[in-house]
Amino acid sequence: MTTRGIRRKRCDVKIAVVGAPGVGKSALTVRFLTKRYIGEYDHNTENKYKHESLLDGEPVHFEILDTCPKDEHELPNANELLQWADGILLVYSITDRQSFNYIRKARTDLTTETPVFLVANKVDMVHLRQVSTDEGEILAKDLECRFTEVSAAEHVIQVAEIFYDLCKEILASKRKSKQSLLERMLGSSRPYNRGKSDSALQKD
Ligand SMILES: Nc1nc2c(ncn2[C@@H]2O[C@H](COP(=O)(O)OP(=O)(O)OP(=O)(O)O)[C@@H](O)[C@H]2O)c(=O)[nH]1
């Protein structure tokens, strides 16, 4: 049987982009959405974008929340964020030690089952580096998440891959929770079949 003519169900994926001011959250988001790099963005508003894409031939509807802390002391509201987001992109800049510390502080509240991807941006400015690759890798290990260094200014494919990889992880995690819910429901319906062995149930 072929799948031609069968309409595939669209997957919805919500991603929140989190990080200190000026690390390139908007630049990364806009790079993914438009493949373009625009030097300056509105720093005063939180933006939510909607985007349709195909991932391994499957239609995906992205909602991306580009968060906007007013300064490096304003940490994200973890409860609100985790209620809304299916996955979180944690961004710091390799040229800004404070932005790395911001992620270390923010992650305490964001440690959950929610898939996370740690991104070190502005790798094109390696001459101004304040955070080493090793430090990023250690933090990612601690967070049990994927990690990459990237430049929103120079990389197109690598930036898209970050969003797609996080999306894949989100979809896998959603399938896993659906599966365990199903198993729990089937498990709880077992008493109604009392008296029949498993093999007898399979034959029915
Ligand atoms: N060299 C370089 N500059 C970048 C890169 N990404 C962003 N920038 C610049 O860094 C500045 C801040 O980028 P934004 O994308 O506005 O950062 P943001 O995290 O959204 O900032 P807020 O909205 O204030 O939270 C801008 O001047 C960008 O042009 C990058 O990869 N390389």
Side-chain angles (χ1 to χ4, degrees), residues 146-204:
R146 299 274 309 272
F147 167 67
T148 195
E149 291 193 335
V150 80
S151 162
E154 291 186 348
H155 300 147
V156 184
I157 295 169
Q158 291 92 325
V159 171
E161 274 172 358
I162 292 168
F163 282 88
Y164 288 133
D165 283 353
L166 180 57
C167 175
K168 282 183 196 168
E169 218 178 296
I170 290 168
L171 295 178
S173 141
K174 282 188 174 192
R175 272 195 295 272
K176 209 168 138 196
S177 12
K178 221 178 200 174
Q179 176 76 23
S180 62
L181 180 69
L182 204 65
E183 276 168 12
R184 279 207 302 277
M185 282 165 69
L186 288 174
S188 64
S189 69
R190 276 289 160 87
Y192 295 109
N193 297 318
R194 219 178 340 211
K196 285 190 177 186
S197 69
D198 277 358
S199 56
L201 286 171
Q202 277 164 15
K203 280 179 200 151
D204 283 351

Coordinates of all heavy atoms in Angstrom, one line a residue, residues 146-204:
R146 N 21.6 18.6 23.8 CA 22.5 18.8 22.6 C 23.1 20.2 22.7 O 22.5 21.1 23.3 CB 21.7 18.8 21.3 CG 21.0 17.4 21.0 CD 21.9 16.5 20.3 NE 22.5 17.0 19.2 CZ 22.0 17.0 17.9 NH1 20.8 16.5 17.8 NH2 22.6 17.5 16.9
F147 N 24.3 20.4 22.1 CA 25.0 21.6 22.1 C 25.7 21.9 20.8 O 26.2 21.0 20.2 CB 26.0 21.6 23.2 CG 27.1 22.7 23.2 CD1 26.7 24.0 23.5 CD2 28.4 22.4 22.9 CE1 27.6 25.0 23.4 CE2 29.3 23.5 22.8 CZ 28.9 24.8 23.1
T148 N 25.6 23.2 20.4 CA 26.4 23.5 19.2 C 26.8 25.0 19.3 O 26.1 25.8 19.9 CB 25.6 23.2 17.9 OG1 26.5 23.3 16.8 CG2 24.5 24.2 17.6
E149 N 28.0 25.3 18.6 CA 28.4 26.7 18.5 C 28.0 27.1 17.0 O 28.2 26.3 16.1 CB 29.9 26.8 18.7 CG 30.3 26.6 20.1 CD 31.7 27.0 20.4 OE1 32.5 27.0 19.5 OE2 32.0 27.3 21.6
V150 N 27.5 28.3 16.9 CA 27.0 28.7 15.6 C 27.1 30.2 15.4 O 27.4 30.9 16.4 CB 25.5 28.2 15.5 CG1 24.6 29.2 16.2 CG2 25.0 28.1 14.1
S151 N 26.9 30.7 14.2 CA 26.8 32.1 14.0 C 25.6 32.4 13.2 O 25.4 32.0 12.0 CB 28.1 32.6 13.2 OG 27.8 33.9 12.6
A152 N 24.7 33.2 13.8 CA 23.5 33.6 13.1 C 23.8 34.5 11.9 O 23.2 34.5 10.9 CB 22.5 34.3 14.0
A153 N 25.0 35.2 12.1 CA 25.4 36.1 11.0 C 25.9 35.4 9.8 O 25.8 35.9 8.7 CB 26.5 37.0 11.5
E154 N 26.5 34.2 10.0 CA 27.2 33.5 8.8 C 26.6 32.2 8.4 O 26.8 31.7 7.3 CB 28.6 33.3 9.2 CG 29.4 34.6 9.3 CD 30.9 34.4 9.4 OE1 31.3 33.3 9.8 OE2 31.6 35.4 9.3
H155 N 25.9 31.5 9.3 CA 25.4 30.2 9.0 C 23.9 30.1 8.7 O 23.1 30.6 9.5 CB 25.7 29.2 10.2 CG 27.2 29.1 10.5 ND1 27.6 28.9 11.8 CD2 28.3 29.2 9.8 CE1 29.0 28.9 11.8 NE2 29.4 29.1 10.6
V156 N 23.6 29.5 7.7 CA 22.2 29.3 7.3 C 21.7 27.9 7.7 O 20.8 27.7 8.4 CB 21.9 29.6 5.8 CG1 20.4 29.5 5.5 CG2 22.5 30.9 5.4
I157 N 22.4 26.9 7.1 CA 22.0 25.5 7.3 C 22.2 25.1 8.7 O 21.3 24.4 9.3 CB 22.9 24.6 6.3 CG1 22.6 24.9 4.9 CG2 22.6 23.1 6.6 CD1 23.5 24.3 3.9
Q158 N 23.3 25.4 9.3 CA 23.5 25.0 10.7 C 22.4 25.6 11.7 O 22.0 24.9 12.6 CB 24.9 25.5 11.2 CG 26.1 24.8 10.6 CD 26.5 25.6 9.4 OE1 25.7 26.2 8.6 NE2 27.8 25.6 9.1
V159 N 22.0 26.8 11.4 CA 20.9 27.4 12.2 C 19.6 26.6 12.0 O 18.9 26.2 13.0 CB 20.7 28.9 11.9 CG1 19.5 29.4 12.6 CG2 21.9 29.7 12.3
A160 N 19.3 26.3 10.8 CA 18.1 25.5 10.5 C 18.1 24.1 11.2 O 17.2 23.7 11.8 CB 17.9 25.4 9.0
E161 N 19.3 23.5 11.2 CA 19.5 22.2 11.8 C 19.2 22.2 13.3 O 18.7 21.2 13.8 CB 20.9 21.7 11.5 CG 21.0 21.0 10.1 CD 22.4 20.6 9.7 OE1 23.4 20.9 10.5 OE2 22.6 20.0 8.6
I162 N 19.5 23.3 13.9 CA 19.3 23.4 15.4 C 17.8 23.3 15.6 O 17.3 22.5 16.4 CB 19.8 24.7 15.9 CG1 21.3 24.8 15.9 CG2 19.3 25.0 17.3 CD1 21.9 26.1 16.1
F163 N 17.0 24.1 14.9 CA 15.6 24.1 15.1 C 15.0 22.7 14.7 O 14.1 22.2 15.4 CB 14.9 25.2 14.3 CG 15.0 26.5 14.9 CD1 16.1 27.3 14.6 CD2 14.1 27.0 15.8 CE1 16.3 28.6 15.2 CE2 14.2 28.3 16.4 CZ 15.3 29.1 16.1
Y164 N 15.5 22.1 13.6 CA 14.9 20.8 13.1 C 15.3 19.7 14.1 O 14.5 18.8 14.4 CB 15.4 20.5 11.7 CG 14.7 21.3 10.7 CD1 15.4 21.9 9.6 CD2 13.3 21.5 10.7 CE1 14.8 22.7 8.7 CE2 12.7 22.3 9.7 CZ 13.5 22.9 8.7 OH 12.8 23.6 7.8
D165 N 16.5 19.7 14.6 CA 16.9 18.7 15.6 C 16.1 18.8 16.9 O 15.7 17.8 17.4 CB 18.4 18.8 15.9 CG 19.3 18.3 14.8 OD1 18.7 17.7 13.8 OD2 20.5 18.4 14.8
L166 N 15.9 20.0 17.3 CA 15.1 20.2 18.5 C 13.6 19.7 18.2 O 13.0 19.0 19.1 CB 15.1 21.6 19.0 CG 14.3 21.9 20.2 CD1 14.7 21.1 21.4 CD2 14.4 23.4 20.6
C167 N 13.2 20.0 17.1 CA 11.8 19.6 16.7 C 11.7 18.1 16.7 O 10.7 17.5 17.2 CB 11.5 20.2 15.3 SG 9.9 19.6 14.6
K168 N 12.7 17.4 16.1 CA 12.7 15.9 16.1 C 12.6 15.4 17.5 O 11.9 14.4 17.8 CB 14.0 15.4 15.4 CG 13.9 15.5 13.9 CD 15.1 14.9 13.3 CE 15.2 15.3 11.8 NZ 16.5 15.0 11.3
E169 N 13.4 16.0 18.4 CA 13.4 15.5 19.8 C 12.1 15.7 20.5 O 11.6 14.9 21.2 CB 14.5 16.3 20.6 CG 15.3 15.5 21.5 CD 16.3 16.2 22.2 OE1 17.3 16.7 21.6 OE2 16.2 16.4 23.5
I170 N 11.4 16.9 20.1 CA 10.1 17.2 20.7 C 9.1 16.1 20.2 O 8.3 15.6 21.0 CB 9.7 18.6 20.3 CG1 10.5 19.7 21.0 CG2 8.2 18.8 20.6 CD1 10.3 21.1 20.4
L171 N 9.2 15.8 18.9 CA 8.2 14.9 18.4 C 8.4 13.5 19.0 O 7.4 12.8 19.3 CB 8.3 14.8 16.8 CG 7.9 16.1 16.1 CD1 8.1 16.0 14.6 CD2 6.4 16.6 16.4
A172 N 9.7 13.1 19.2 CA 10.0 11.8 19.8 C 9.4 11.8 21.2 O 8.8 10.8 21.6 CB 11.5 11.5 19.7
S173 N 9.6 12.9 21.9 CA 9.2 12.9 23.3 C 7.6 12.9 23.4 O 7.1 12.3 24.3 CB 9.8 14.2 24.0 OG 8.9 14.8 24.8
K174 N 7.0 13.6 22.4 CA 5.5 13.6 22.4 C 5.0 12.1 22.1 O 4.0 11.7 22.8 CB 5.0 14.5 21.3 CG 5.0 16.0 21.7 CD 4.3 16.8 20.6 CE 4.1 18.2 21.1 NZ 3.2 19.0 20.2
R175 N 5.7 11.4 21.2 CA 5.3 10.1 20.9 C 5.4 9.2 22.1 O 4.6 8.3 22.4 CB 6.1 9.5 19.7 CG 5.5 9.8 18.3 CD 6.2 9.0 17.3 NE 7.6 9.3 17.1 CZ 8.1 10.3 16.3 NH1 7.3 11.0 15.6 NH2 9.4 10.5 16.2
K176 N 6.5 9.4 22.8 CA 6.8 8.6 24.0 C 5.7 8.8 25.1 O 5.3 7.8 25.7 CB 8.2 9.0 24.6 CG 8.9 7.9 25.3 CD 10.3 8.2 25.5 CE 10.8 7.8 26.9 NZ 12.0 8.5 27.3
S177 N 5.4 10.1 25.3 CA 4.3 10.3 26.4 C 3.0 9.8 25.9 O 2.2 9.3 26.7 CB 4.2 11.7 26.8 OG 4.8 12.6 26.0
K178 N 2.7 9.8 24.6 CA 1.4 9.3 24.1 C 1.4 7.7 24.3 O 0.4 7.2 24.8 CB 1.3 9.5 22.6 CG 0.0 10.0 22.1 CD 0.1 10.2 20.6 CE -1.0 11.1 20.1 NZ -0.8 11.4 18.7
Q179 N 2.6 7.1 24.0 CA 2.7 5.7 24.2 C 2.5 5.3 25.6 O 1.8 4.3 25.9 CB 4.1 5.3 23.7 CG 4.5 3.8 23.8 CD 3.8 3.0 22.8 OE1 3.4 3.5 21.7 NE2 3.6 1.7 23.1
S180 N 3.2 6.0 26.5 CA 3.1 5.6 27.9 C 1.7 5.8 28.5 O 1.1 5.1 29.3 CB 4.1 6.2 28.8 OG 4.0 7.6 28.8
L181 N 1.0 6.9 27.9 CA -0.4 7.1 28.3 C -1.3 6.0 27.9 O -2.1 5.5 28.6 CB -0.9 8.5 27.7 CG -2.3 8.9 28.0 CD1 -2.5 9.2 29.5 CD2 -2.8 10.1 27.2
L182 N -1.1 5.5 26.6 CA -1.8 4.4 26.1 C -1.6 3.2 26.9 O -2.5 2.4 27.2 CB -1.3 4.2 24.6 CG -2.3 3.6 23.7 CD1 -3.5 4.4 23.5 CD2 -1.6 3.3 22.3
E183 N -0.3 2.9 27.3 CA 0.0 1.7 28.0 C -0.7 1.8 29.4 O -1.2 0.8 29.9 CB 1.5 1.6 28.2 CG 2.2 1.0 27.0 CD 3.7 1.1 27.0 OE1 4.3 1.5 28.0 OE2 4.3 0.8 25.9
R184 N -0.7 3.0 30.0 CA -1.3 3.1 31.3 C -2.8 2.8 31.2 O -3.4 2.2 32.0 CB -1.1 4.5 31.9 CG 0.2 4.7 32.5 CD 0.2 5.7 33.6 NE -0.2 7.0 33.1 CZ 0.6 7.9 32.5 NH1 1.9 7.6 32.3 NH2 0.1 9.0 32.0
M185 N -3.4 3.4 30.1 CA -4.9 3.2 29.9 C -5.2 1.7 29.6 O -6.1 1.2 30.2 CB -5.4 4.0 28.7 CG -5.6 5.5 29.0 SD -5.7 6.5 27.5 CE -7.3 5.9 26.9
L186 N -4.4 1.0 28.8 CA -4.6 -0.4 28.5 C -4.4 -1.2 29.8 O -5.1 -2.1 30.1 CB -3.6 -0.9 27.4 CG -4.0 -0.4 26.0 CD1 -2.9 -0.8 25.1 CD2 -5.3 -0.9 25.6
G187 N -3.3 -0.8 30.6 CA -3.0 -1.5 31.8 C -4.2 -1.4 32.8 O -4.6 -2.3 33.4
S188 N -4.8 -0.2 32.9 CA -5.9 0.0 33.8 C -7.2 -0.6 33.3 O -8.1 -0.9 34.1 CB -6.2 1.5 34.0 OG -6.6 2.1 32.9
S189 N -7.3 -1.0 32.0 CA -8.5 -1.7 31.5 C -8.4 -3.2 31.7 O -9.3 -3.9 31.5 CB -8.7 -1.4 30.1 OG -7.8 -2.0 29.3
R190 N -7.2 -3.7 32.1 CA -6.9 -5.1 32.3 C -8.0 -5.8 33.2 O -8.4 -6.9 32.8 CB -5.5 -5.4 32.8 CG -4.5 -5.4 31.7 CD -4.7 -6.7 30.9 NE -4.1 -6.6 29.6 CZ -2.8 -6.9 29.3 NH1 -2.1 -7.3 30.3 NH2 -2.3 -6.8 28.1
P191 N -8.4 -5.3 34.4 CA -9.3 -6.0 35.2 C -10.5 -6.4 34.6 O -11.1 -7.5 34.9 CB -9.6 -4.9 36.3 CG -8.4 -4.1 36.3 CD -7.9 -4.0 34.9
Y192 N -11.0 -5.7 33.5 CA -12.2 -6.1 32.8 C -12.1 -7.4 32.1 O -13.0 -8.1 31.7 CB -12.7 -5.0 31.8 CG -13.0 -3.8 32.5 CD1 -12.2 -2.6 32.4 CD2 -14.2 -3.7 33.3 CE1 -12.6 -1.5 33.1 CE2 -14.5 -2.5 33.9 CZ -13.7 -1.4 33.8 OH -14.0 -0.3 34.5
N193 N -10.8 -7.8 31.8 CA -10.5 -9.0 31.1 C -10.1 -10.2 32.0 O -9.5 -11.1 31.6 CB -9.4 -8.8 30.0 CG -9.9 -7.8 29.0 OD1 -11.0 -7.9 28.6 ND2 -9.0 -6.9 28.7
R194 N -10.4 -10.0 33.3 CA -9.9 -10.9 34.3 C -10.4 -12.3 33.9 O -11.5 -12.5 33.4 CB -10.5 -10.6 35.7 CG -9.5 -10.8 36.8 CD -10.1 -10.4 38.1 NE -11.2 -9.5 38.0 CZ -11.5 -8.6 38.9 NH1 -10.7 -8.4 39.9 NH2 -12.6 -7.9 38.8
G195 N -9.5 -13.3 34.2 CA -9.9 -14.7 33.8 C -9.3 -15.1 32.5 O -9.2 -16.3 32.3
K196 N -9.0 -14.2 31.6 CA -8.4 -14.6 30.4 C -6.9 -14.4 30.4 O -6.4 -13.4 30.9 CB -8.9 -13.7 29.2 CG -10.3 -14.0 28.8 CD -10.7 -13.3 27.6 CE -12.1 -13.7 27.1 NZ -12.4 -13.1 25.8
S197 N -6.1 -15.3 29.9 CA -4.7 -15.2 29.9 C -4.3 -14.2 28.7 O -5.2 -14.0 27.8 CB -4.0 -16.5 29.6 OG -4.3 -16.9 28.3
D198 N -3.1 -13.7 28.8 CA -2.7 -12.8 27.7 C -2.8 -13.4 26.3 O -3.2 -12.8 25.4 CB -1.2 -12.3 28.0 CG -1.2 -11.2 28.9 OD1 -2.3 -10.8 29.3 OD2 -0.1 -10.7 29.3
S199 N -2.4 -14.7 26.2 CA -2.4 -15.4 24.9 C -3.8 -15.5 24.4 O -4.1 -15.4 23.3 CB -1.7 -16.7 25.0 OG -2.3 -17.5 26.0
A200 N -4.8 -15.8 25.4 CA -6.2 -15.9 25.0 C -6.7 -14.6 24.5 O -7.4 -14.5 23.5 CB -7.0 -16.3 26.2
L201 N -6.2 -13.5 25.1 CA -6.7 -12.1 24.7 C -6.2 -11.8 23.3 O -6.9 -11.3 22.5 CB -6.1 -11.1 25.7 CG -6.8 -11.0 27.0 CD1 -6.0 -10.1 27.9 CD2 -8.2 -10.5 26.9
Q202 N -4.9 -12.3 23.0 CA -4.4 -12.0 21.7 C -5.1 -12.7 20.6 O -5.3 -12.2 19.5 CB -2.9 -12.4 21.6 CG -2.0 -11.3 22.2 CD -0.6 -11.8 22.5 OE1 -0.2 -12.9 22.1 NE2 0.1 -11.1 23.3
K203 N -5.7 -13.9 20.9 CA -6.4 -14.7 19.9 C -7.7 -14.1 19.6 O -8.2 -14.3 18.5 CB -6.5 -16.1 20.4 CG -5.2 -16.9 20.2 CD -5.5 -18.3 20.7 CE -4.1 -19.0 21.0 NZ -4.2 -20.0 22.0
D204 N -8.4 -13.4 20.5 CA -9.7 -12.9 20.3 C -9.8 -12.0 19.1 O -8.9 -11.2 18.8 CB -10.2 -12.1 21.5 CG -10.6 -13.1 22.6 OD1 -10.6 -14.3 22.3 OD2 -10.7 -12.7 23.8

